[in-house]
Amino acid sequence: DTSVSLSPPAIRVRPLTCTETQRGDRRVVHSLGDGTVHVNAARHDATFGFSTVFDAGASQETVFEGSGMRQLVELAIDGFSCTVFAFGQTGSGKTYTLMGPLTQSETRPVAPGLLGLMQRSFACLLEQSRSRGSDLALSASYLEIYNEQVRDLLSPGPPSALPLRWSKTRGFYVENQLSVDFESLEAIADLLLQAGSQRRRTSAHALNRHSSRSHALLTIQVRSRAMRGARVSLPPTWVPQPSTCPSKQGTLCFVDLAGSERVKETGSSGELSVEANNINRSLLALGHCISLLAKPQGKRTHIPYRDSKLTRLLARSLGGSGITLMVACVSPSSRCLSETLSTLHYASRARKVTTRP
Ligand code: ADP
Ligand code: MG
């Protein structure tokens, strides 16, 4: 049987932040360590069951090992399209989970224990490439979707929109997207930092919280060529040609989704409300595709990937040929109650999707 379930979403409940503690927010989300999440507040008392729940005490390493991220990296090396996406409201811990805490100064690096799923995966890829002895080539591209425009975070200069196209052989793809080869952790870390500072530059024009107003997609292409000398059973006259070497090409995509909160109409106008509408529209499209995919195979109707740029770019990973890991992030604070409930409902729906890589 080739059908593989979309790994059931992992839930991560972050600790209360200092600010939340100082202003006296209550902790209303608890996990008892048995895969259940309890939401307990004045008029709400709900329990959700998931296969993987990380509570406030879970370390970054625990999340990496316990979420199945390591296996995902190995599947990417084996040639599968793998995607991990973090979702949840702004401030729920998506970026922390993927990248760790953002450094205050570029001169002081993050403590290794706090590094996120991305850096741990890069380390794992590079380690595997060494231990497998095969020729593994790694390259990265980094895109963001902002106001329904796809922008290249690696290209120098002001951000410009790139066309998103479709072809029979490639599916949806972004035209003229930059791709950078890398061979070391430093190189890929620099790449992220460089793209990060570029995003920060644009944020000055837009908003302080720009990064959470866009969806960011980092894709690592993993091309592996079989080892020379591996084809021992071939006739002696066979001369290996580079083009005849069997090769595999997998991808590992990290998606940091924009915050899922409903933006209160108060004070949001003009640019702000356009952003909010676009975010909500694409997250809604994603949720819609997920709930259609969650229907039993025979009852499925057409999946509307074309409804948003986000769902087009994620079509391959959601729609059957990829393997997707979702991490739903929630805040434990009483103030975030309704958003937390909606994230948990969203994650529950995603549990039923199956894909066939
Ligand atoms: P998001 O990307 O979802 O908007 P962030 O990842 O930026 O949220 O997290 C919001 C704040 O909470 C940040 O200050 C971050 O450092 C902190 N935080 C998030 N998750 C954790 C965690 N598991 N442990 C400690 N601090 C966390
Ligand atoms: Mg973020």
Side-chain angles (χ1 to χ4, degrees):
D1 186 4
T2 54
S3 91
V4 170
S5 270
L6 173 90
S7 1
I11 310 296
R12 187 178 203 184
V13 187
R14 69 156 167 76
L16 280 173
T17 61
C18 294
T19 327
E20 287 169 338
T21 310
Q22 274 162 14
R23 69 181 182 207
D25 288 13
R26 276 183 319 114
R27 246 192 93 129
V28 297
V29 185
H30 295 273
S31 153
L32 298 181
D34 55 353
T36 54
V37 180
H38 299 274
V39 181
N40 205 288
R43 280 177 293 115
H44 294 274
D45 192 347
T47 301
F48 295 82
F50 294 100
S51 55
T52 317
V53 178
F54 300 106
D55 67 13
S59 67
Q60 296 282 69
E61 189 187 356
T62 302
V63 174
F64 180 77
E65 300 295 344
S67 62
M69 191 64 227
R70 185 183 288 280
Q71 287 89 310
L72 210 65
V73 173
E74 282 162 9
L75 286 162
I77 297 173
D78 284 338
F80 289 97
S81 303
C82 301
T83 307
V84 51
F85 63 89
F87 69 99
Q89 78 177 115
T90 300
S92 61
K94 299 180 294 294
T95 303
Y96 185 95
T97 296
L98 291 174
M99 301 216 240
L102 298 174
T103 36
Q104 302 303 318
S105 68
E106 277 164 30
T107 47
R108 250 216 348 247
V110 176
L114 297 181
L115 293 172
L117 292 180
M118 281 185 175
Q119 296 94 333
R120 285 167 201 275
S121 301
F122 304 153
C124 198
L125 273 175
L126 292 160
E127 186 187 294
Q128 288 281 322
S129 95
R130 259 172 250 131
S131 76
R132 291 196 180 204
S134 62
D135 196 353
L136 209 67
L138 303 171
S139 62
S141 58
Y142 203 8
L143 300 171
E144 76 169 342
I145 306 174
Y146 178 72
N147 277 343
E148 279 301 280
Q149 285 190 342
V150 180
R151 298 167 166 187
D152 197 330
L153 288 171
L154 297 184
S155 77
S160 60
L162 295 180
L164 180 52
R165 306 203 187 283
W166 187 87
S167 86
K168 220 169 186 159
T169 47
R170 297 176 68 182
F172 292 107
Y173 68 96
V174 176
E175 201 172 71
N176 298 329
Q177 125 185 42
L178 279 185
S179 173
V180 179
D181 293 342
F182 67 93
E183 285 174 345
S184 71
L185 273 180
E186 293 74 41
I188 180 77
D190 279 354
L191 204 80
L192 282 178
L193 201 73
Q194 204 185 308
S197 60
Q198 201 157 21
R199 279 161 82 176
R200 256 177 264 138
R201 194 141 32 99
T202 58
S203 75
H205 302 287
L207 259 177
N208 219 6
R209 301 193 322 195
H210 176 83
S211 66
S212 65
R213 313 318 294 162
S214 73
H215 308 294
L217 292 86
L218 177 84
T219 306
I220 310 289
Q221 295 274 353
V222 187
R223 272 158 303 166
S224 61
R225 263 162 284 154
M227 280 180 288
R228 211 163 262 187
R231 311 190 102 201
V232 283
S233 60
L234 287 164
T237 50
W238 187 78
V239 183
Q241 298 289 317
S243 59
T244 60
C245 278
S247 67
K248 285 183 279 196
Q249 181 159 336
T251 55
L252 187 57
C253 182
F254 299 87
V255 187
D256 189 357
L257 292 173
S260 60
E261 63 280 354
R262 278 173 196 71
V263 175
K264 321 272 178 293
E265 287 321 320
T266 47
S268 67
S269 60
E271 193 177 11
L272 252 169
S273 70
V274 172
E275 276 180 1
N277 284 337
N278 279 320
I279 292 169
N280 288 341
R281 213 174 51 162
S282 57
L283 288 174
L284 212 67
L286 180 62
H288 190 204
C289 289
I290 287 175
S291 50
L292 288 174
L293 286 163
K295 289 188 176 170
Q297 202 66 233
K299 292 190 175 168
R300 272 191 208 169
T301 46
H302 165 73
I303 314 289
Y305 295 116
R306 287 181 186 269
D307 281 3
S308 75
K309 296 267 164 73
L310 178 67
T311 43
R312 278 180 226 196
L313 283 176
L314 292 178
R316 199 174 327 165
S317 33
L318 290 172
S321 64
I323 303 161
T324 301
L325 170 68
M326 298 195 200
V327 185
C329 298
V330 295
S331 151
S333 160
S334 48
R335 296 202 186 207
C336 300
L337 185 62
S338 73
E339 299 303 339
T340 293
L341 286 168
S342 99
T343 301
L344 293 172
H345 284 299
Y346 202 92
S348 298
R349 267 201 305 279
R351 236 160 33 128
K352 305 195 192 85
V353 185
T354 52
T355 60
R356 298 170 177 280

